[in-house]
Amino acid sequence: MVESNRFRHGNIGVRITSFSMLIYSILFILLSNAVTLRRDKSIFFSRIAIIVLLYAILSGIQCFYIEDISTGIGLFGGLFHVTSITAVFHIFIFLISAAIIQLTAFYPRKVWLPEYSSLNKLFLYKFKYYETKIVNKMSEQFRIIEYPLILLFIITGASFLVSASDLVSIFLSIELQSYGLYLLSTLYRNSELATSGGLTYFLLGGLSSCFILLGTSLLYANSGTTNLDGLYVITSLSDITNNDPNNLVNWYESYYINLSLLILSVGFLFKVSAAPFHFWSPDVYDAIPTIVTTFVAIVAKISIFIFLLELVHYTSNSLFSYEFSWTSSLLVSSLLSLIVGTVLGLTQFRIKRLFAYSTISHVGFILLALSINSIESIQAFIFYLMQYSISNLNVFIILVSIGFSLYYYIDEEGKYKNLSDKNNSPIQLISQLKGYFYINPILALSLTITIFSFVGIPPLIGFFAKQMVLSAALDSGYIFITLIAILTSVISAVYYLNIIKEIFFDKSDYKINPEIENIKLHGNIINEGTKTVTKSVFKLNNIVLSSSLSITISVLTLIIILFIFIPTEWLRTANILALILFNT
C-alpha cells in the first residue's frame, strides 16, 4: 500500500500531554463521582474541569514551538495527526468549552455593596449571607455531578475528531463526541421536555452514524486502507493513470471514493444540522435546557467542520475531471441551508428555535466557503467559523443571564407563569424580552450588538466574515449562490430586528414582585485581619449578576464590536493557516 509522507513523526510529547491530561482528568472525576455522596459538589468538579482545559490550552500553545508542526506530525501510528490548523482549533475548542463550563462553575448572582467593593476591601473583607435563593445555589445545574464529566468526554471526542487521520479513529471520535451529547441532552432527569428532546437527538443521531459507518465501510472496501493519506494517494494516482491500461491501479475508479464520500458527508451534515437534514435541531435546541443548548450548538459543529476542511481539500482536487464531485453536495446543502434557515426563521416565536434556524442559515455560509476550496475561501471559512462560535456563545450566555436577572420579577398578567420547564430555561419566548432594556440596559445592549453581528451590520465582526465568504464565492464564479446568500441575509434581518424591537420599543410585561420589593436581607461582613464581624442590611438592588457572567459577556461583546480596530491578528491567523494547508 502506498504511504504518504504528509505527516512526520517528530517531537509529539507535548501533544500527547494535552490528550493525556484530558483522559486522566476524566478518570479522576469519574472516581470522585463514584465515592461522593454530596450532589452539590458538581460546582467544584466544574472548576476542576476549567483548570484542566486551561492546562490543555498551555500544552496546545507549546505545539507551535515544534519544528515540523507546519507539515504535520503523526500520532499513534497515523491514527491522528497534528498540524497548525488542528493545534489552533484544539486551543479554540478548549477556550470555548471553558467559557461554557463556567456557567455551572460559579453561582450566577452575588451581593454587591459599593462601600466594600474597592480593591483592597475585596481582599480584607468576606461577606456571608444565608438566603440561598439569592445566588441560586439550589438550582438543578449545581446538583448534577456528572455534568463536567460528560463535558470532558465530549471535548475529548471533539479534539480527537479534529486530529483524526484514519477511518477507524474518525468513527470512534465522532461517536465519543455524540454519545456525550446524547447523555448531556437527557441529563436533567426531572425535565420531560429535555428527555424527549434528548431521545429525538439520540434516534436521529444514530441514523446519521449509520450513514457515516456505511461511508467508511465503502471507502475501506474500495481502497483496501483505512488511512486517509493512503486514500488520498490512491485517488490521485488512479485519476492520473485512469486511461493507461498498463498502470498499477487500473482496478480502481475515482468515482468509487466520490460516491463513498458523498454518503459519508450525509452523516456529517446530519450532525451539523445542515439542510435538508436540519429538521431535528429546532426541536432539540428548544427542548433541552439553555445551558446544555449552549454546548450542543457550538462545540459539536467546530470539530466536524475542521475535520471536513482537510477532507474536502485533499479529495476534491483529484476529482475535477468528473462532472459531479461529492463536494458539490456541500454546495447544494449550503444553498438549501441559506433558504430554509431564513424562510422558516420568519415564523418563529420561541427564541431558541429562532436561533436554531439562524444557525442553519449561518451553516450555509460556512459550507459555501468550505466547498469552494480556494485560499481565499478557506481563509473566510476559518474566520467565519471562529467569529460565529464566539457570537453564538455570547448570545446563549446572555439568554442564561437574562433568566437569572429576572428572578425577583413577575409578569403582570401571569402569561409566562406556567411555561413548561421554566426552571431550566427561563427565557423561551421572544415576547419575554419585551421592554428588557428598561430592566437591564447593559445586557440588552450586549444582546443587540451580537444580533447586529449576526445580521452583518458594519463595522461588527459578522459583517467582515460574510463579506469574506461572498467575495471568495464571487471570485470563484459562484454568482447565483452569492446573490441568494445576500438576499437571504437581508431577509433574515427581519426576525433579528423583531427581537430588537421587542427589547427597546415595547412595554415590559414585568414588575418587581410586591411581596419582596421592600424586603430587607441580612448578612455578616467579616474582617479577615481582625476577625471582627459587622452585620449588614441590603436590598434587592444590591443583588447583581456574578463577576464570571459579567466579565465573559463584556469580553465577548468587546471582541465583536472592536474587531475593526484589531483585525490584523485574526485575519493574519486565518490567512497563514489557509496558506499552510495549500502548501502541504
Side-chain angles (χ1 to χ4, degrees):
M1 185 58 61
V2 181
E3 292 186 359
S4 172
N5 291 322
R6 188 163 62 98
F7 304 119
R8 302 178 185 177
H9 297 272
N11 180 10
I12 61 175
V14 174
R15 185 69 261 162
I16 293 178
T17 301
S18 179
F19 287 155
S20 300
M21 186 63 184
L22 288 174
I23 295 172
Y24 289 150
S25 61
I26 287 173
L27 294 176
F28 169 74
I29 296 180
L30 185 62
L31 291 173
S32 301
N33 287 352
V35 299
T36 186
L37 296 176
R38 293 185 58 184
R39 305 294 295 181
D40 58 344
K41 289 291 184 181
S42 172
I43 191 168
F44 302 110
F45 292 145
S46 295
R47 292 175 183 177
I48 292 172
I50 291 177
I51 294 172
V52 168
L53 291 174
L54 293 177
Y55 179 82
I57 289 170
L58 294 177
S59 300
I61 292 173
Q62 294 179 21
C63 282
F64 296 108
Y65 296 99
I66 299 176
E67 182 180 355
D68 297 329
I69 188 68
S70 60
T71 56
I73 300 171
L75 298 179
F76 306 115
L79 289 177
F80 302 96
H81 66 265
V82 177
T83 64
S84 299
I85 293 177
T86 62
V88 166
F89 277 93
H90 278 146
I91 295 171
F92 187 67
I93 289 173
F94 296 152
L95 276 173
I96 293 290
S97 302
I100 296 173
I101 294 177
Q102 73 163 347
L103 292 174
T104 54
F106 302 96
Y107 295 121
R109 293 186 286 265
K110 67 177 182 180
V111 176
W112 180 71
L113 301 175
E115 60 271 24
Y116 290 96
S117 298
S118 61
L119 189 60
N120 60 332
K121 290 185 177 180
L122 286 176
F123 294 98
L124 290 176
Y125 294 91
K126 185 176 182 181
F127 186 56
K128 284 190 174 182
Y129 44 88
Y130 305 100
E131 290 80 3
T132 56
K133 289 185 178 180
I134 294 174
V135 291
N136 208 34
K137 285 185 178 180
M138 305 306 292
S139 287
E140 191 171 359
Q141 68 265 28
F142 299 120
R143 293 183 284 117
I144 302 177
I145 59 176
E146 301 87 359
Y147 182 81
L149 175 65
I150 294 173
L151 289 187
L152 286 178
F153 269 112
I154 298 170
I155 295 165
T156 304
S159 60
F160 282 167
L161 181 61
V162 168
S163 300
S165 184
D166 191 276
L167 296 178
V168 175
S169 60
I170 290 169
F171 187 74
L172 293 178
S173 300
I174 190 65
E175 289 308 295
L176 177 61
Q177 173 181 289
S178 298
Y179 286 151
L181 291 171
Y182 304 150
L183 292 173
L184 190 66
S185 300
T186 56
L187 199 58
Y188 287 70
R189 301 165 190 163
N190 298 327
S191 169
E192 182 180 350
L193 286 176
T195 303
S196 63
L199 183 60
T200 302
Y201 191 19
F202 169 70
L203 293 175
L204 294 176
L207 177 62
S208 65
S209 296
C210 291
F211 281 102
I212 294 174
L213 188 59
L214 176 60
T216 54
S217 301
L218 290 175
L219 286 172
Y220 175 70
N222 290 330
S223 64
T225 179
T226 60
N227 188 271
L228 291 184
D229 284 351
L231 206 63
Y232 302 152
V233 171
I234 290 176
T235 307
S236 300
L237 290 176
S238 64
D239 190 45
I240 294 171
T241 60
N242 199 36
N243 296 322
D244 183 4
N246 298 320
N247 71 76
L248 297 177
V249 286
N250 58 0
W251 50 271
Y252 189 83
E253 298 288 348
S254 292
Y255 66 83
Y256 291 164
I257 190 175
N258 204 20
L259 179 61
S260 302
L261 289 172
L262 178 62
I263 296 173
L264 185 71
S265 68
V266 170
F268 283 109
L269 291 176
F270 253 109
K271 299 287 187 185
V272 298
S273 66
F277 313 108
H278 65 282
F279 42 84
W280 61 270
S281 62
D283 294 331
V284 172
Y285 283 21
D286 190 43
I288 60 181
T290 305
I291 290 178
V292 177
T293 308
T294 307
F295 205 88
V296 173
I298 301 173
V299 176
K301 291 180 173 55
I302 297 173
S303 57
I304 293 175
F305 277 125
I306 297 305
F307 164 73
L308 287 176
L309 172 61
E310 292 196 1
L311 189 65
V312 168
H313 177 71
Y314 290 111
T315 59
S316 60
N317 291 335
S318 62
L319 300 172
F320 284 155
S321 59
Y322 292 89
E323 294 182 359
F324 178 83
S325 78
W326 77 278
T327 54
S328 301
S329 65
L330 301 180
L331 202 60
V332 173
S333 179
S334 170
L335 178 62
L336 293 176
S337 297
L338 290 169
I339 297 173
V340 169
T342 299
V343 174
L344 295 185
L346 294 172
T347 63
Q348 303 304 314
F349 62 91
R350 298 183 67 87
I351 192 158
K352 285 197 291 181
R353 289 182 67 89
L354 175 63
F355 283 130
Y357 283 109
S358 167
T359 298
I360 294 169
S361 177
H362 287 281
V363 164
F365 277 94
I366 295 172
L367 288 175
L368 174 59
L370 181 64
S371 57
I372 295 171
N373 192 34
S374 64
I375 293 180
E376 293 79 8
S377 70
I378 297 305
Q379 179 183 357
F381 166 84
I382 293 171
F383 179 70
Y384 200 108
L385 182 59
M386 295 179 74
Q387 69 83 24
Y388 182 69
S389 299
I390 289 174
S391 300
N392 221 15
L393 173 64
N394 199 32
V395 158
F396 282 110
I397 292 180
I398 290 173
L399 280 185
V400 172
S401 301
I402 289 175
F404 287 135
S405 69
L406 293 175
Y407 81 103
Y408 54 77
Y409 287 85
I410 58 172
D411 54 291
E412 295 181 357
E413 300 177 359
K415 63 174 73 172
Y416 310 130
K417 185 176 181 181
N418 297 319
L419 283 176
S420 300
D421 210 21
K422 184 178 180 180
N423 292 333
N424 296 323
S425 297
I427 304 300
Q428 300 178 27
L429 307 175
I430 297 175
S431 57
Q432 287 180 268
L433 299 176
K434 280 185 179 180
Y436 186 74
F437 174 76
Y438 303 100
I439 296 175
N440 192 326
I442 303 299
L443 269 183
L445 287 173
S446 297
L447 179 60
T448 302
I449 290 169
T450 310
I451 289 175
F452 276 143
S453 181
F454 284 158
V455 177
I457 301 295
L460 303 178
I461 192 171
F463 165 77
F464 296 99
K466 287 188 176 182
Q467 185 269 336
M468 290 172 67
V469 172
L470 295 175
S471 176
L474 282 176
D475 290 344
S476 300
Y478 295 91
I479 299 175
F480 174 75
I481 196 170
T482 301
L483 293 176
I484 295 296
I486 294 172
L487 183 62
T488 54
S489 185
V490 172
I491 295 174
S492 66
V494 174
Y495 56 72
Y496 287 129
L497 293 176
N498 180 53
I499 299 176
I500 296 172
K501 179 187 78 70
E502 297 269 2
I503 294 173
F504 288 91
F505 300 105
D506 288 349
K507 181 182 177 182
S508 175
D509 290 330
Y510 296 102
K511 65 177 182 178
I512 296 178
N513 189 341
E515 296 180 3
I516 62 173
E517 184 173 5
N518 298 316
I519 191 172
K520 293 183 179 180
L521 304 170
H522 301 274
N524 294 326
I525 299 172
I526 304 172
N527 190 317
E528 295 288 345
T530 62
K531 300 299 181 182
T532 57
V533 178
T534 305
K535 293 186 180 297
S536 176
V537 178
F538 58 96
K539 295 184 178 181
L540 291 180
N541 57 4
N542 294 115
I543 303 172
V544 297
L545 288 177
S546 67
S547 299
S548 61
L549 289 174
S550 302
I551 293 173
T552 303
I553 292 172
S554 300
V555 170
L556 294 175
T557 305
L558 287 174
I559 289 174
I560 293 170
I561 197 172
L562 298 180
F563 169 77
I564 191 172
F565 299 107
I566 48 171
T568 307
E569 289 75 14
W570 285 67
L571 297 178
R572 184 179 296 168
T573 300
N575 190 32
I576 291 173
L577 293 177
L579 289 173
I580 289 174
L581 182 65
F582 274 82
N583 289 332
T584 54

